[in-house]
Amino acid sequence: LKKIMIPLPPIQEQKQMIQTLNKKFTGLRIFEKKIFDLKNEKNKTLDYLDNVYFKILQSAFSGKLLN
């Protein structure tokens, strides 16, 4: 294996490839963070709605809903 020559692009082209990949990965990290934030907001909203639903049922069964 030591004798096998693996062709590589010129250094400048390698640097451009690295820059391109870094930009792509940065975009992916930003997108991943947005997805994480949206999932957290969704979970908070669902928890809030569950709480509201429970309070409405509690009020209805205790006769406070009509007052």
Side-chain angles (χ1 to χ4, degrees):
L1 286 175
K2 290 181 180 181
K3 294 180 181 181
I4 297 175
M5 296 291 290
I6 300 173
L8 294 174
I11 291 291
Q12 190 57 36
E13 190 175 339
Q14 291 178 35
K15 288 179 180 180
Q16 288 174 342
M17 289 177 179
I18 290 170
Q19 286 177 343
T20 301
L21 287 173
N22 283 336
K23 287 178 186 177
K24 301 272 185 201
F25 281 116
T26 298
L28 286 173
R29 283 189 290 273
I30 291 168
F31 186 67
E32 183 180 43
K33 169 103 171 69
K34 286 182 181 182
I35 289 172
F36 179 81
D37 291 344
L38 287 171
K39 284 181 179 179
N40 282 341
E41 284 301 313
K42 177 197 78 164
N43 289 336
K44 286 179 188 178
T45 301
L46 289 174
D47 288 345
Y48 173 77
L49 291 173
D50 282 344
N51 192 23
V52 168
Y53 179 72
F54 176 76
K55 287 181 180 180
I56 290 171
L57 286 178
Q58 193 176 34
S59 295
F61 286 113
S62 66
K64 297 178 184 175
L65 194 60
L66 299 175
N67 293 339

